[in-house]
Each structure stands twice: as C-alpha cells, then as structure tokens.
Amino acid sequence: METKKESISSFQMFFFILMNTIGDGILTFPNMVYKDARQASWVSILITGLVAGLLVLTYVYLHSRFPKRTIYDICLVVFGKWCGRLIIVGYLIYFFLICFNINQMYMIIITNWILTATPPWVILLLMVMLGIYLGKENLRIITRFYQLCFWIIVFLLLMNLGAIPHFHWKYLFPVNEIAFVNILKGSNSSIPAFLGFDSLLVILPFVTGKLKSKLKYSILSIIFITIIYLFVILTCILFFSPKEMTLIPQPILYLFKSITIFGVIERLDLIIVALWIVMIMTSYISYLYLSNIGICTLFHLKNRTISTIVLSFLVYILVLALPISRELVFVQFKMIAILSYIFLAGIPLLAIIVSFLFHRNGKKEGERL
C-alpha cells in the first residue's frame, strides 16, 4: 500500500500525530477531568499518557508483524473476510463519530465566541469545504500542512505564560485527599483529548525508515502531548478557583479573556479561537483521511475524492439536523471513551493474539498491498 507520494518520514509522523491529537479537546478537557479528579487532575493526565505510550508500543509491535498493512488489512488477514469487514465497518463508525463530535464542538465554540449572528449552516460549511479540500489529498501533503500548523501550538503555550503572575499555588493542594478511583475517572475523561495516536494503526505502513525510528518518534509524540496537557491543566487549576473550574466549560478561553499582556493586549480569547479553528481542522482532516483509507480498503477504491465528499456532507447534514448542546457533546465524549477501549486497545491486542495462535504474519506472506 505504500507509495512514493503517500509515504512520510518518521519525523513527519511526529507532527501528524501531534496535530491530530491536540486540536480537538484542548479547550474542554480541563473542565471534564477536573470534575472527577479535582486538584489531582494532573495525575490523571500522567496515567492517560502512560497508557497511550503502552498502546503505541502495541501498535508498533503489530506493525512489525504486518509491515505493509494498515489495521483494516490486518483485520481481513487475521479475522477472516466477513468478520474482518465487520470490524472495518466498526472502525469507520468510530472514526465518523469522532468527525461528527469535532464538528459539533467547532459549532459550539464558534457560535458562542466569535460568529454569534452568523447562520450555523454557513459556519459549518467552511469546515466542510476545508475538509474536502485537504482530506482527499495524500498523506505527505496533509503532513506538510501540519508541520506549518505546529507553530500555533508553540504560540499558544507561550501565551499561557502570561497567566503565571496570577497563579494561586494553594489550589494544587492537597493531592492526597483525592481517591484513586476519582483519579482513574479523571483519566477516563481525558481519553477523548488524547485521541489521535490511534492514527498509527493506519499510517504506520506509509512511514519510511527503520522500526526503531518509528517507535522513537511515536513515543516522543505521546511524551510531547502529555507535557502540553500537563501544562494546560496545571495552568487552569492554578488560575481558577475550584468552584470556577467545575463551572467553566472552556477554561483556556476564559483564562485568556481575563488576562492582559504587557498591560495593553486584551481579549486574547478571540485570537486563541481563531487559531484554534486551524487546530481543530487538522483533527477533522485526519479522521476524514483515516475513514477514507478504510472505505478504500472495504470497497477496493483507488480515488478518495468521492468518499471524502460523501463523508463530509453526511457530517454536515447530521450536525445541522441534530440539536447542538454542550451536554450532548459531553455524552458523545463518554461514548467515544468507551468505544476507544474496543478499537484502540481490544482489537489490536486481539489481532496480536490471534496472529500468534494461527501463525499469521505479514512478513511471511511477503505481500505488498
């Protein structure tokens, strides 16, 4: 399946995973995690980062057994034609649900913070058109765009430094009064924010270089993501009071709305939302791409343009047809967290076990897809 235009380096893979992960949940996850883990939320983030790292090790090992196959191809080989196709459909529904959730979150933020009087169909159409424009392209083009977008994350982190003079360190203590069960609940709530490394299941066959290099940059991406989320959650905990953290749905935006840099620059939240649009678009494009690869595998398609258009407008129609509310989005977050146990952990681990039991190995077959 690996082609010259589609292939990327291990270093470029780092940016693909990073931009696919950061864009979606960075504005909302502090509130969701804090409701469960309170001042120990940073521990929950560390646990989720550790689990993500272990799953990455699993994906790379699975890739070592089937070096030329995506998770879709692996399912067909390991689980058989019919069961494999059923699992592929499950992955497609899972990725589509994430695309749907991303667009709903995008609509809520934009209509509440910037374009309050603009019709929803116009706001959503902008995202859909951009998704079609880039989602149909090959992996190399998409990743190069993500390398440019990476500097937005750097800028946002630097902007966060303006909140340091307003920190209240007492809000971080005591940590030991939080039950470990609640910390685990907080870790579960942070799962949607970490989603993005699951793209390794699809893109690893397109990544050039040695297996050690792929593993190194995959783990580095998880470490970098975990550090970013730690920085964000600690900034929010130290800036807002415990009561405010449970009430504010997007702490980062309210933080930037509250602070002034150099005594001159105000309403930084509007700048942040404008930049965040680019970041959430990268997540949307990534999951469109992952879905497209699955559709092409399922129906033996060579051109992704038609499938991209169909998927994009299906998301467009459903988002406009269904009611949009913050409560509904959070319910979807919980659904995605539950499904992630199946599609991010369960199926890859089961594929490894079955491949061992039945001695199925892509390297022995020597096939190029």
Side-chain angles (χ1 to χ4, degrees):
M1 188 176 283
E2 183 179 1
T3 63
K4 216 170 186 181
K5 291 183 179 179
E6 201 79 39
S7 64
I8 59 173
S9 67
S10 301
F11 180 67
Q12 289 176 311
M13 178 188 66
F14 169 86
F15 293 98
F16 186 92
I17 299 170
L18 182 65
M19 296 309 302
N20 187 21
T21 303
I22 295 296
D24 185 17
I26 192 168
L27 297 185
T28 56
F29 91 90
N31 171 266
M32 296 173 61
V33 177
Y34 191 86
K35 285 181 178 179
D36 292 317
R38 298 290 173 165
Q39 62 267 27
S41 296
W42 61 274
V43 182
S44 298
I45 297 299
L46 285 176
I47 293 173
T48 310
L50 177 61
V51 173
L54 294 174
L55 286 175
V56 165
L57 291 175
T58 304
Y59 300 164
V60 174
Y61 178 74
L62 183 63
H63 171 66
S64 70
R65 293 184 62 82
F66 300 91
K68 301 299 179 182
R69 296 182 182 274
T70 66
I71 187 62
Y72 304 119
D73 303 308
I74 293 171
C75 287
L76 292 174
V77 172
V78 174
F79 300 110
K81 181 179 179 181
W82 296 107
C83 188
R85 286 179 177 272
L86 188 62
I87 294 174
I88 291 174
V89 172
Y91 270 106
L92 290 177
I93 294 173
Y94 173 69
F95 289 147
F96 182 82
L97 179 61
I98 295 176
C99 286
F100 176 77
N101 184 262
I102 288 172
N103 278 274
Q104 281 210 320
M105 179 59 65
Y106 161 76
M107 287 288 293
I108 290 173
I109 301 296
I110 299 304
T111 53
N112 288 342
W113 287 87
I114 299 182
L115 306 176
T116 55
T118 305
W121 67 268
V122 176
I123 298 172
L124 189 59
L125 187 62
L126 295 174
M127 176 68 83
V128 169
M129 297 305 294
L130 288 170
I132 293 174
Y133 179 72
L134 274 174
K136 63 181 175 58
E137 297 296 338
N138 61 63
L139 184 60
R140 182 177 295 182
I141 292 175
I142 294 173
T143 306
R144 284 175 177 173
F145 173 68
Y146 288 3
Q147 286 179 281
L148 294 175
C149 296
F150 167 76
W151 297 105
I152 294 176
I153 296 178
V154 176
F155 177 74
L156 291 179
L157 294 177
L158 291 175
M159 295 279 280
N160 266 327
L161 297 177
I164 292 178
H166 307 281
F167 282 177
H168 299 278
W169 296 97
K170 63 180 181 180
Y171 293 155
L172 201 57
F173 303 100
V175 176
N176 58 358
E177 74 174 13
I178 306 299
F180 189 67
V181 173
N182 291 331
I183 293 175
L184 291 179
K185 288 180 180 179
S187 182
N188 183 72
S189 298
S190 68
I191 288 175
F194 272 84
L195 294 180
F197 69 91
D198 49 350
S199 57
L200 286 169
L201 290 167
V202 178
I203 69 170
L204 272 174
F206 304 120
V207 181
T208 60
K210 296 181 179 180
L211 192 66
K212 287 185 178 179
S213 178
K214 297 178 185 181
L215 177 60
K216 180 180 74 172
Y217 282 105
S218 298
I219 294 297
L220 280 176
S221 67
I222 295 299
I223 293 173
F224 198 81
I225 290 163
T226 304
I227 291 173
I228 290 174
Y229 283 156
L230 274 175
F231 180 72
V232 170
I233 194 75
L234 286 172
T235 299
C236 293
I237 291 173
L238 294 171
F239 186 85
F240 295 106
S241 69
K243 186 176 181 180
E244 288 173 328
M245 276 296 294
T246 58
L247 296 175
I248 298 174
Q250 295 98 30
I252 288 295
L253 292 182
Y254 282 92
L255 184 152
F256 283 115
K257 187 177 180 179
S258 305
I259 65 175
T260 302
I261 294 182
F262 304 125
V264 177
I265 306 175
E266 297 180 340
R267 288 309 306 267
L268 295 170
D269 55 300
L270 300 179
I271 300 174
I272 299 304
V273 171
L275 295 174
W276 174 79
I277 292 174
V278 179
M279 293 172 60
I280 196 170
M281 183 181 67
T282 61
S283 295
Y284 174 56
I285 291 169
S286 296
Y287 281 104
L288 269 182
Y289 174 82
L290 300 179
S291 301
N292 272 326
I293 297 296
I295 291 173
C296 291
T297 303
L298 197 61
F299 297 104
H300 305 288
L301 302 177
K302 293 184 178 180
N303 192 302
R304 293 197 291 263
T305 303
I306 295 177
S307 59
T308 303
I309 294 173
V310 172
L311 282 173
S312 297
F313 277 100
L314 186 58
V315 170
Y316 180 76
I317 292 169
L318 287 176
V319 171
L320 291 180
L322 297 175
I324 299 177
S325 66
R326 188 165 62 91
E327 292 73 19
L328 180 60
V329 170
F330 287 163
V331 169
Q332 291 170 8
F333 274 141
K334 293 185 181 297
M335 287 177 56
I336 291 170
I338 294 171
L339 290 173
S340 67
Y341 288 107
I342 300 172
F343 294 105
L344 271 64
I347 293 176
L349 287 171
L350 185 60
I352 291 174
I353 294 171
V354 173
S355 67
F356 265 117
L357 291 177
F358 294 93
H359 304 288
R360 295 176 181 176
N361 192 309
K363 289 193 282 188
K364 290 181 181 178
E365 295 166 8
E367 295 184 27
R368 290 184 63 89
L369 300 178

